[in-house]
Structures are given as C-alpha cells and as structure tokens.
Amino acid sequence: MSVSRTLKRAFTLVELLVVIAIIGVLVALLLPAVQSAREAARRSQCSNNLKQIGLAVTQYADAYRGAFPVGSYTCCDGTWQVALLPYVEQKALFDQYKGYGHIGPSGEIDTTLRYSSGTNLPVTSQTIKVFTCPSDNKVATFASVTYHNYVANHGNTTLARTATFGTQTNGQPNKYGKAPFVVVSNTNSIPQVVRLSDIGDGTSSTLAFSETIKGQFGDLRGFGWWQGGSHFEAYLAPNSNQPDVPEQIQYCVNQRPNAPCTGPTTAAPEMIGARSRHPTGVNTVMCDGSVRFMSDNVNLDTWRFLSTAAGREPANNLN
C-alpha cells in the first residue's frame, strides 16, 4: 500500500528577500510622485487662499470708495490682516479688535491698543486658515501671537519707500514707483491711503500680495499682525539666496530652516523678500484679484516692475 504525500512549498529566505527588495524599489519610485501630488494640492490650496484675499481687497475697496487697506499703522497698531477680517468670513474677530487705525487728538496713532494687548490678544492668538499656506510649517506663535504666510506689496525698494535703491539689471537706477500698500504713522504720513485710481500701471499688472515663510526660533518674518512681518518688497527675486533685512537684528535668526537674513544699516534698511516652501516659486495675487505663480527665475526687473503701482514701465517689459 502506497501513501501519497502532499508537498507544501513555502517561500525560501532568498525569495522573501527578493520580494521585499522589489517592494522597496516600488515604494522608492512611488514616493516622489506621491509627495509631488501632495505638494501640488497644497500649492493649489495656497493659490485659492490668495484668490480669496484678492477678492477681499476688492470688496474692501468697494466699501471704502476705492481705497486699499493701509499696510500697517506704525509698528504695532494693526495691519491689513485686521482690515480684511470681515471680508474673509471673520467679522466677529474684526469686531473684537480695538484700536486699528485710531488717530489721537494730536494726530498721533493710538498706541494703547497694540496687537499684543490684553484686549486684542484673543484675536491675534488665532490662526486664520485663509492666511495660512499648507506647504509651510504648522502652527507657529511668538508670545501667544500667531504667524501667517501672506504679505502685502510695499514696492520695489524698501519698506521706507527709498526713492532709489540699487540698480536694474541694465545698470539703470531702481527707482521707487509707488505701491498699493503703505505704512501710516500719523496724520502727516503721505499717502494716508492708496486708491484704485492711484494704480497707474493697471491692477492686472500690479502685485498685491505674495507669500512669506514663517520664521522659527524667534525670527519674526511672517508675524503678520505686526508691521515688520506683514510686508514684502520686490527688490529681491522670489526665494532669493540674498538676505532679508528685518526691522532690527534681533528679529532675524539666520538659521535653517529660516531664510537668510541680516541686520539693517543706513545703506540697507528694512526690506523683506517674497518666499515660499514651494520648490520653484511663489504664489501671488494681483490688484485685480488674479492669481499668478511667479517662478524663482523670473527676470528681476520684471518682478520689480510688477511691484510698482505707478512706475510707468513699458508694457513689453511685463511679459
């Protein structure tokens, strides 16, 4: 009598290792594609945020006879972020904020209700989703006040609107050509407000907002409730390897993952570049509400021309 045997074949160790190796190769091939798809989705959301901010500015201008919101009132008394809250579905927070743009009896800005005051902290400790790019780091705060990712265009030279700062690539002076956002310190500040009628270069050819990177380790770039973190200038190209110049050296932490920075001097005053965590450029929104992705390799003169509100640059330089 014969007994039949059923042989059970199992994976050998070598075969198992080969299968694991193949899976590892497939994962390695797929991971960049997955990461790229995720970044594309984050960039799209960032673009949508800027679209909403652009629409908010348009609605603000409609409500205030064609005026843009002030970029900031002094260092600490409110920025465009406060002004736009009602137009990004945050009117309750706007109603809570006290002191934005309040002028005292002697023509001075009321400094008793700063962004960090006990009255305003319930607002400035909030992270506003539409002001936050998902490609950047998660929640960031300094003394309980939040950081965000979008900054207003203050022109092609410096925050102080230096008449001429540096040169163009053709060697001509880089002259200030006005900007849609300004700082107002008192009733003598000129201008007090910028209107749509002041955008002589055209709203579709003038930058309104771009991106910034949230600073870490006490670096205050992206600290948008405060003047120094709410602006950018187009003197530097997007994501430039040249340093930003914050208001004071202590607000600059020249350490990765922060962008490069240095302290201000008489020759190089406060000036912050547009930056993002996207691999090839920055999202921007124009004064007409249209969104554009600007490459890191954009011609520097073109970038500066787009930042001026009334620089009267020839249209063929904007292509």
Side-chain angles (χ1 to χ4, degrees):
M1 178 177 175
S2 63
V3 178
S4 63
R5 296 182 179 180
T6 302
L7 297 178
K8 294 184 178 179
R9 181 160 166 48
F11 280 110
T12 66
L13 179 59
V14 172
E15 290 172 328
L16 183 60
L17 291 174
V18 169
V19 171
I20 292 173
I22 292 171
I23 292 173
V25 170
L26 291 174
V27 170
L29 291 172
L30 288 173
L31 190 57
V34 171
Q35 291 175 332
S36 178
R38 287 178 176 174
E39 167 53 23
R42 291 191 292 263
R43 194 176 104 178
S44 177
Q45 180 59 54
C46 186
S47 175
N48 288 338
N49 288 348
L50 278 166
K51 182 67 175 178
Q52 291 184 58
I53 292 171
L55 292 174
V57 170
T58 300
Q59 293 170 355
Y60 182 99
D62 286 344
Y64 289 92
R65 299 181 180 179
F68 283 80
V70 169
S72 62
Y73 284 100
T74 68
C75 76
C76 311
D77 301 296
T79 69
W80 61 266
Q81 284 191 175
V82 177
L84 293 188
L85 287 174
Y87 306 98
V88 292
E89 301 181 351
Q90 297 293 337
K91 189 174 186 303
L93 290 179
F94 177 79
D95 291 340
Q96 279 185 264
Y97 196 98
K98 306 301 178 186
Y100 174 70
H102 180 257
I103 307 294
S106 301
E108 77 285 357
I109 300 294
D110 185 346
T111 60
T112 62
L113 292 172
R114 297 187 168 203
Y115 68 86
S116 56
S117 69
T119 301
N120 290 328
L121 195 57
V123 177
T124 58
S125 62
Q126 301 295 313
T127 297
I128 311 301
K129 186 175 180 181
V130 73
F131 295 158
T132 304
C133 177
S135 293
D136 198 3
N137 302 303
K138 294 184 179 180
V139 177
T141 61
F142 182 80
S144 300
V145 178
T146 53
Y147 289 66
H148 291 90
N149 288 110
Y150 304 112
V151 278
N153 170 28
H154 282 250
N156 58 319
T157 60
T158 68
L159 178 65
R161 307 195 292 272
T162 304
T164 301
F165 189 73
T167 59
Q168 298 172 14
T169 55
N170 61 9
Q172 296 299 309
N174 177 40
K175 296 180 180 179
Y176 178 72
K178 299 187 179 180
F181 295 93
V182 293
V183 175
V184 173
S185 300
N186 52 54
T187 53
N188 295 320
S189 295
I190 299 175
Q192 286 287 313
V193 70
V194 177
R195 298 185 181 278
L196 284 169
S197 57
D198 298 322
I199 311 296
D201 291 346
T203 55
S204 63
S205 298
T206 304
L207 293 164
F209 295 91
S210 187
E211 295 183 75
T212 192
I213 294 173
K214 297 175 187 174
Q216 297 186 43
F217 320 118
D219 186 297
L220 294 189
R221 283 170 288 182
F223 199 58
W225 301 108
W226 165 70
Q227 174 184 285
S230 66
H231 67 93
F232 84 97
E233 289 72 43
Y235 177 75
L236 298 177
N239 291 315
S240 173
N241 58 9
Q242 298 299 306
D244 293 328
V245 183
E247 180 187 303
Q248 298 181 39
I249 186 62
Q250 61 262 40
Y251 304 146
C252 156
V253 179
N254 205 355
Q255 173 184 342
R256 291 186 177 183
N258 292 338
C261 58
T262 189
T265 64
T266 302
E270 183 173 359
M271 171 198 63
I272 306 294
R275 302 184 184 276
S276 79
R277 297 291 183 194
H278 310 306
T280 58
V282 297
N283 283 307
T284 67
V285 63
M286 313 305 284
C287 289
D288 68 346
S290 60
V291 176
R292 298 189 192 181
F293 187 76
M294 302 298 295
S295 168
D296 293 341
N297 298 318
V298 63
N299 178 275
L300 182 56
D301 289 344
T302 299
W303 174 244
R304 290 173 179 171
F305 292 163
L306 288 170
S307 76
T308 65
R312 299 183 179 179
E313 299 88 3
N316 59 1
N317 281 333
L318 303 180
N319 295 326

